[in-house]
């Protein structure tokens, strides 16, 4: 599956310019999507589709799993080439979410040039981050209020201190890997496809759903 906008050009060029590097190569967002930080109710509701469709016995088991009032959701989606990794984070009782990820800022040229050098970045929502049709992997981890404040502050600090993007060294999997590491999770090798990275992150942590950084 590809993004709704035509990205075949940059995909081919990027493949010629070091696209063999296992890195995040998501195309730049439109101005509207880049500034869009809050998901609508339908997008957020799809996060729990799997649990709703599971057999009753499975749902009962999931209901007994410990959860907190806040969460960080490590996610991957399709893109024109390798895909994109990013996080949703917020409060479980609210439908709105915040989105953080690392993408090249600007037009197609910035995306292609980012395979050769560092280019200016964007760290908010990019095209497709809020569309459930593009989702390829998800690993949600829950937090108590005290820990959520620390983690959310770290995410915003990371956004503010990530001015550049490079497909090989400063990419989307590295960005969300820093968040996972701060939360005390085991982090897989970062230079791999976003979908594989998120699935590996979940597997390495045994599907662990609750993270505690501090005492209750």
């Amino acid at each position: 599956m590809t993004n709704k906008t035509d990205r075949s050009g940059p995909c081919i060029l990027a493949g010629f310019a070091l696209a063999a590097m296992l890195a995040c190569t998501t195309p730049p967002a439109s101005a509207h999507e880049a500034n869009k930080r809050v998901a609508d109710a339908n997008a957020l509701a799809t996060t729990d589709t799997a649990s709703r469709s599971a057999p009753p016995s499975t749902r009962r088991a999931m209901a007994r799993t410990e959860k907190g009032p806040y969460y960080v959701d490590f996610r991957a989606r399709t893109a024109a080439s390798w895909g994109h990794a990013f996080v949703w984070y917020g409060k479980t009782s609210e439908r709105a979410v915040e989105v953080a990820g690392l993408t090249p800022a600007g037009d197609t040229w910035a995306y292609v040039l980012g395979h050769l050098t560092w280019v200016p970045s964007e760290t908010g929502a990019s095209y497709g981050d809020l569309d459930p049709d593009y989702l390829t992997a998800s690993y949600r981890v829950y937090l108590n209020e005290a820990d959520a404040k620390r983690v959310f502050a770290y995410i915003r600090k990371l956004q503010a201190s990530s001015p550049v993007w490079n497909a090989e060294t400063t990419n989307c999997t590295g960005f969300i890997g820093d968040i996972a590491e701060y939360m005390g999770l085991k982090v897989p090798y970062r230079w791999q496809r976003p979908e594989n990275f998120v699935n590996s992150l979940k597997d390495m942590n045994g599907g662990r759903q609750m993270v505690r950084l501090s005492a209750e």
Side-chain angles (χ1 to χ4, degrees):
M1 181 182 294
T2 58
N3 286 341
K4 296 177 181 177
T5 53
D6 184 8
R7 305 288 180 178
S8 58
C11 179
I12 295 172
L13 290 173
F16 182 75
L18 301 184
M21 297 297 179
L22 294 181
C24 169
T25 53
T26 182
S30 65
H32 173 71
E33 290 291 346
N35 293 326
K36 186 176 182 182
R37 305 256 328 215
V38 180
D40 58 28
N42 290 334
L44 181 58
T46 61
T47 302
D48 296 322
T49 299
S51 63
R52 289 198 304 269
S53 60
S57 59
T58 303
R59 289 199 298 268
R60 286 195 296 271
M62 293 176 67
R64 291 194 296 268
T65 302
E66 186 179 17
K67 296 182 179 180
Y70 296 86
Y71 67 89
V72 174
D73 196 341
F74 299 91
R75 300 169 75 83
R77 64 166 175 81
T78 58
S81 51
W82 293 107
H84 180 47
F86 55 101
V87 296
W88 279 11
Y89 64 99
K91 193 172 184 178
T92 55
S93 61
E94 299 176 356
R95 291 184 178 274
V97 303
E98 290 287 331
V99 182
L102 187 64
T103 61
D107 56 17
T108 298
W109 175 242
Y111 166 65
V112 175
L113 187 62
H115 289 77
L116 304 172
T117 186
W118 287 268
V119 296
S121 71
E122 293 177 345
T123 58
S126 61
Y127 184 89
D129 290 356
L130 305 176
D131 192 332
D133 291 337
Y134 296 150
L135 186 67
T136 56
S138 175
Y139 174 38
R140 177 168 290 202
V141 179
Y142 295 91
L143 302 156
N144 61 37
E145 184 174 3
D147 290 343
K149 288 180 179 179
R150 291 175 58 187
V151 172
F152 294 177
Y154 177 79
I155 292 173
R156 295 183 182 111
K157 180 180 179 180
L158 189 62
Q159 288 179 292
S161 60
S162 302
V164 295
W165 178 88
N166 175 264
E168 181 181 354
T169 62
T170 313
N171 55 40
C172 62
T173 52
F175 183 89
I176 71 168
D178 286 344
I179 297 171
E181 188 172 34
Y182 180 83
M183 294 171 64
L185 295 170
K186 297 177 182 178
V187 180
Y189 179 69
R190 300 186 184 194
W191 283 269
Q192 56 180 306
R193 290 179 182 272
E195 177 181 358
N196 294 341
F197 180 87
V198 173
N199 286 331
S200 294
L201 179 67
K202 184 175 183 178
D203 290 342
M204 287 183 65
N205 290 279
R208 174 184 178 188
Q209 286 193 301
M210 189 73 190
V211 168
R212 285 192 172 85
L213 283 72
S214 60
E216 291 282 358

